[in-house]
Amino acid sequence: MCPRGATSASWTRLNISGHTYLQARFAERDCRPCPDRARCTSSATRPRSVAVLPRPLHEIQMRNRLDQQTEQWQRRYAIRAGSEDTLSQNVRAHGLRRSRCRGLARTHVQHVLTAMACNLSRLADWYDTTSSARRAPRFQTLCNTAGFAIT
């Protein structure tokens, strides 16, 4: 249903990135003259279309989203967030997304050297005491949260 009470005209299966969704399409005669059109769709010409997961997958997704609100889940995720931050830094600052060479051995060497460059960059930031206005590095915050006293 749309915010104005119109019901969908058809339901079809839809594959997006290898996942099966159900797509509800609304009739053009209902959407075109609707005063709330901007709330339903960003398309200037097409009627509203909504893609939803099948019910069992939707229920799993809703359950997972509720679990993410718990303190226990957030504590567990904080550990992953530290490693995600490191990976993101390596991708953005040190070019880890693309390998400069071919072959598993050479790519491994690049990854090791990239990790070393990241660690050196973090050590340089760690020992740089000239700018006291900067916030603590995320790694330091993570260690302090986990109970490791790092000064």
Side-chain angles (χ1 to χ4, degrees):
M1 267 186 135
C2 80
R4 300 291 271 187
T7 57
S8 59
S10 68
W11 285 80
T12 57
R13 288 192 180 272
L14 178 67
N15 284 321
I16 302 174
S17 301
H19 300 286
T20 302
Y21 289 81
L22 300 173
Q23 184 180 35
R25 293 181 182 212
F26 290 79
E28 196 167 333
R29 68 178 180 277
D30 292 333
C31 291
R32 186 90 55 186
C34 182
D36 289 334
R37 181 179 173 80
R39 287 178 42 198
C40 292
T41 182
S42 58
S43 174
T45 57
R46 294 186 177 164
R48 178 181 181 167
S49 161
V50 181
V52 294
L53 287 169
R55 182 178 295 268
L57 295 177
H58 176 75
E59 289 173 356
I60 291 170
Q61 187 180 53
M62 290 289 95
R63 204 170 330 124
N64 287 341
R65 286 180 178 167
L66 285 175
D67 287 347
Q68 290 174 3
Q69 305 303 317
T70 64
E71 186 179 328
Q72 178 187 8
W73 188 93
Q74 290 176 358
R75 258 197 325 269
R76 271 194 340 234
Y77 188 76
I79 296 167
R80 178 180 172 158
S83 61
E84 290 286 340
D85 183 45
T86 301
L87 184 61
S88 175
Q89 179 181 0
N90 282 327
V91 167
R92 286 181 290 109
H94 303 292
L96 189 63
R97 189 169 308 278
R98 302 259 184 230
S99 180
R100 297 169 192 254
C101 346
R102 290 186 183 187
L104 190 59
R106 290 180 181 175
T107 302
H108 175 71
V109 169
Q110 179 187 343
H111 288 174
V112 170
L113 292 174
T114 302
M116 288 172 55
C118 180
N119 288 339
L120 288 173
S121 171
R122 286 181 170 190
L123 281 173
D125 287 344
W126 187 287
Y127 287 113
D128 183 17
T129 58
T130 57
S131 61
S132 60
R134 286 196 337 203
R135 66 176 177 82
R138 289 184 181 154
F139 181 70
Q140 181 180 4
T141 306
L142 179 67
C143 289
N144 290 340
T145 303
F148 300 108
I150 297 177
T151 57

